[in-house]
């Protein structure tokens, strides 16, 4: 994943004060590979990376993040922005019924989606109805009926007896999906269904007859939304398929399906970039509830394959007071770190949650990593109690903590003298190690700078 690949880059970039063009180029190369690996289409990758580089080159440096992290942050922001920023809601008709038409290749998940969408809308107080316009595939009508029953909604279908809750024969040719669509809308209007979901036929590949039929249905029902249903596993083919449906039926939004699979979701970025149409929903399984509105931020971490790194970056920015980090770094470098700083750093790191090895990526906090490697939460509580039990003079100059002071501190904080000894020893060791590491340029941010 990008996360793995960046580890190497991070090692080189850690501790640099600012982004050089070379940093940006090498990190951009890794990002490019990650996007291609996630099946984002090549022209989309090219345009995207160019935009990221442009932004990175004019970017202000942050003390909380190293250069690679800063670029990842930009990439993430750009991805989230392109994928839609705020989630776009369904466009509902001012005068019901709202008509939602589903289009896409066979097997994309249209029929399954019809049930999920009906279930979703029903929970919001709508009274959806399904219309079976896939008369191509044997069994397609029955499949929609079953899906509708599961969601507890009515299904309008062409054959007498298959119209669940309908009033018998519909008087239209079973072979004409356009007539079924028209009949369905009329039925919904007369029965006061406020949303109609029109399921349509798909083909295994793009073909003109299929597109013509979809267009004819669209023209007959004048939908408020035409949702292009796209299997996320389709990979690089997403671009041609999306383009064909954009030209063929001019959809208004996209639904990604099969995100429960191992697809990295590059299709999302490609389809968004190529068609400019928003992604509204995501399907994540065969069950009715395996469905949610589309979350651009989740998709971004999926495409980048680095959810942990992204949340670390977010947390680092939230919690790391830049001024404090710089002060601590300066003290570490000069070997003047006090127990007070030591405690501050520990508490700051704790606020970030279980971040384990990634700690090494944070300037300043990086030096705490080894010192804290063996410390768990209960020990941290004890360390905190001991340091709180010291006088300010002791915290600032731990060398004065002699035997009688140790006894007093132990009693006052409810621990043994051995515990106090261990802490003081560990502190001196850590301080020595840190100032040595800082001397090698091991990661303390030197100073904020702008390019
Ligand atoms: P359609 O031809 O576009 O109507 O596609 P279907 O709704 O019939 O779905 C094709 C197959 O994909 C069925 O076996 C569905 O159960 C399955 N399917 C649909 N959506 C998802 C999804 O989000 N995740 C998974 N794992 N399977 C799905
Ligand atoms: Mg179907």
């Amino acid at each position: 994943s990008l996360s793995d690949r960046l580890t190497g880059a991070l090692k080189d970039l850690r501790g640099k004060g600012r982004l050089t063009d070379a940093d940006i180029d090498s990190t951009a190369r890794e990002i490019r590979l990650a996007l291609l690996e996630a099946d984002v289409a090549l022209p989309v990758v090219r345009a995207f990376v160019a935009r990221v580089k442009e932004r990175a080159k004019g970017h202000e440096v942050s003390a909380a993040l190293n250069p690679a992290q800063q670029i990842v942050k930009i990439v993430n922001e750009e991805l989230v922005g392109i994928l839609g920023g705020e989630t776009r809601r369904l466009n509902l008709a001012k005068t019901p019924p709202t008509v939602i038409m589903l289009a896409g290749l066979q097997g994309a998940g249209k029929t399954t989606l019809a049930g999920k969408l009906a279930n979703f809308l029903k929970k919001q107080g709508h009274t959806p109805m399904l219309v079976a316009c896939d008369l191509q595939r044997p069994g397609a009508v029955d499949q929609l009926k079953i899906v509708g029953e599961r969601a507890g909604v009515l299904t309008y279908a062409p054959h007498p007896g298959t119209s669940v809750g309908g009033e018998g024969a519909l008087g239209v040719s079973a072979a004409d999906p356009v007539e079924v669509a028209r009949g369905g809308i009329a039925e919904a209007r007369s029965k006061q269904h406020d949303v109609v979901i029109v399921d349509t036929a798909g083909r295994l590949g793009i073909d003109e007859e299929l597109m013509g039929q979809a267009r004819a249905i669209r023209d007959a029902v004048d939908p408020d939304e035409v949702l292009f249903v796209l299997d996320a596993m389709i990979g690089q083919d997403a671009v041609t398929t999306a383009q064909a449906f954009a030209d063929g039926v001019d959809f208004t939004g996209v639904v990604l399906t099969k995100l429960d699979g191992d697809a990295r979701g590059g299709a999302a970025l490609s389809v968004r970039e190529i068609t400019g149409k928003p992604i509204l929903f995501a399907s994540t399984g065969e069950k009715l509830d395996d469905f949610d509105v589309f979350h651009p931020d989740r998709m971004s971490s999926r495409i980048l394959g680095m959810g942990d790194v992204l949340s670390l970056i977010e947390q680092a920015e939230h919690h790391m007071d830049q001024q404090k980090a710089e002060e601590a770094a300066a003290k570490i470098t000069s070997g003047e770190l006090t127990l007070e700083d030591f405690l501050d750093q520990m508490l700051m790191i704790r606020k970030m949650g279980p971040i384990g090895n990634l700690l090494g990526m944070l300037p300043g906090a990086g030096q705490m990593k080894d010192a804290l490697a063996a410390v768990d939460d209960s020990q941290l509580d004890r360390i905190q109690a001991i340091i709180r039990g010291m006088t300010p003079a002791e915290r600032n100059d731990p060398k004065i903590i002699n035997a009688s002071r140790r006894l007093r501190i132990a009693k006052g904080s409810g621990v043994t003298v051995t515990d106090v000894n261990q802490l003081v020893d560990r502190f001196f060791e850590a301080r020595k190690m840190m100032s040595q590491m800082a001397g090698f340029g091991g990661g303390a941010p030197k100073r904020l700078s702008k390019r």
Side-chain angles (χ1 to χ4, degrees):
S1 73
L2 179 58
S3 169
D4 299 331
R5 262 207 304 272
L6 276 180
T7 312
L10 285 168
K11 239 183 251 144
D12 301 337
L13 293 177
R14 213 175 93 194
K16 283 195 186 175
R18 64 197 190 105
L19 290 168
T20 64
D21 284 2
D23 292 340
I24 292 169
D25 288 343
S26 67
T27 312
R29 246 192 317 276
E30 301 298 330
I31 307 271
R32 187 174 188 274
L33 288 173
L35 295 176
L36 289 172
E37 218 169 64
D39 273 335
V40 181
L42 185 59
V44 176
V45 172
R46 282 210 189 100
F48 182 82
V49 171
R51 204 155 51 223
V52 166
K53 279 167 90 164
E54 192 63 35
R55 247 193 88 180
K57 287 184 179 175
H59 205 66
E60 193 176 317
V61 163
S62 144
L65 305 178
N66 67 35
Q69 289 174 322
Q70 287 167 39
I71 298 177
V72 169
K73 178 172 179 275
I74 294 170
V75 170
N76 184 47
E77 283 172 7
E78 284 283 319
L79 271 181
V80 171
I82 287 169
L83 291 171
E86 300 277 296
T87 309
R88 148 95 139 71
R89 287 165 178 276
L90 266 181
N91 191 12
L92 297 176
K94 285 195 189 75
T95 324
T98 296
V99 178
I100 302 170
M101 171 177 160
L102 309 181
L105 295 181
Q106 183 176 316
K110 294 180 295 300
T111 304
T112 310
L113 173 70
K116 291 175 174 181
L117 204 50
N119 183 51
F120 172 84
L121 289 166
K122 206 179 153 206
K123 280 184 184 162
Q124 298 182 352
H126 293 284
T127 53
M129 190 187 96
L130 307 183
V131 179
C133 292
D134 179 1
L135 311 181
Q136 219 84 40
R137 209 159 54 94
V141 171
D142 287 339
Q143 189 196 349
L144 188 72
K145 269 179 52 188
I146 291 166
V147 153
E149 271 166 23
R150 221 174 271 154
V153 302
L154 300 180
T155 299
Y156 181 91
H159 301 295
T162 56
S163 173
V164 180
E167 318 294 69
L170 302 170
V172 297
S173 158
D176 188 356
V178 175
E179 286 312 310
V180 175
R182 278 208 187 94
I185 305 297
E187 172 91 353
R189 193 164 282 135
S190 76
K191 298 277 164 62
Q192 315 255 316
H193 292 279
D194 69 343
V195 182
V196 186
I197 299 167
V198 181
D199 188 26
T200 67
R203 292 285 157 78
L204 287 170
I206 304 148
D207 93 1
E208 227 355 90
E209 197 196 330
L210 158 80
M211 216 55 91
Q213 186 186 90
R215 212 162 28 232
I217 295 173
R218 181 200 65 193
D219 292 345
V221 302
D222 188 21
D224 301 282
E225 294 274 16
V226 178
L227 299 182
F228 169 54
V229 183
L230 179 67
D231 179 342
M233 314 274 286
I234 195 170
Q236 293 286 345
D237 287 342
V239 172
T240 40
T241 311
Q243 192 61 63
F245 276 88
D247 296 343
V249 289
D250 193 21
F251 53 85
T252 57
V254 180
V255 179
L256 281 182
T257 64
K258 310 196 186 177
L259 282 168
D260 48 318
D262 55 9
R264 283 272 295 283
L269 183 61
S270 299
V271 78
R272 188 73 180 86
E273 272 283 90
I274 298 280
T275 69
K277 295 298 194 308
I279 303 165
L280 274 65
F281 298 102
S283 241
T284 52
E286 303 194 55
K287 291 198 297 293
L288 221 49
D289 282 323
D290 298 332
F291 175 77
D292 199 357
V293 295
F294 178 73
H295 294 289
D297 49 341
R298 287 184 208 165
M299 184 53 69
S300 171
S301 15
R302 183 176 181 133
I303 291 173
L304 290 175
M306 52 192 319
D308 290 348
V309 176
L310 291 175
S311 60
L312 176 71
I313 288 173
E314 208 171 83
Q315 291 178 39
E317 289 208 304
H318 263 120
H319 295 305
M320 170 113 35
D321 181 308
Q322 299 203 354
Q323 198 66 36
K324 243 186 173 173
E326 275 194 273
E327 282 169 16
K331 282 182 175 170
I332 286 167
T333 314
S334 59
E336 287 164 10
L337 193 76
T338 68
L339 271 165
E340 191 80 57
D341 303 324
F342 190 64
L343 182 60
D344 275 354
Q345 292 249 320
M346 273 192 299
L347 294 177
M348 185 177 76
I349 287 163
R350 168 185 254 182
K351 264 198 297 189
M352 292 179 189
I355 53 176
N357 288 332
L358 290 168
L359 217 51
M361 289 166 47
L362 298 174
Q367 279 100 6
M368 294 294 291
K369 185 188 165 189
D370 295 329
L372 284 173
V375 179
D376 64 25
D377 258 16
S378 68
Q379 283 175 296
L380 208 50
D381 282 336
R382 190 157 1 119
I383 290 171
Q384 195 174 337
I386 296 171
I387 296 178
R388 297 261 190 257
M390 296 175 181
T391 65
E394 288 163 348
R395 288 182 218 171
N396 281 324
D397 188 8
K399 282 199 291 291
I400 66 170
I401 309 178
N402 59 21
S404 68
R405 285 176 188 264
R406 286 175 198 222
L407 188 62
R408 192 207 80 239
I409 294 165
K411 275 188 181 155
S413 43
V415 301
T416 66
V417 175
T418 313
D419 290 330
V420 178
N421 289 342
Q422 268 174 4
L423 168 66
V424 175
D425 289 350
R426 178 183 277 152
F427 167 75
F428 282 123
E429 255 170 55
R431 186 163 77 175
K432 192 169 139 214
M433 190 183 69
M434 286 176 188
S435 68
Q436 279 169 356
M437 280 170 60
F440 293 130
K446 297 295 181 286
R447 129 173 328 199
L448 288 174
S449 60
K450 268 187 180 183
R451 284 188 48 83

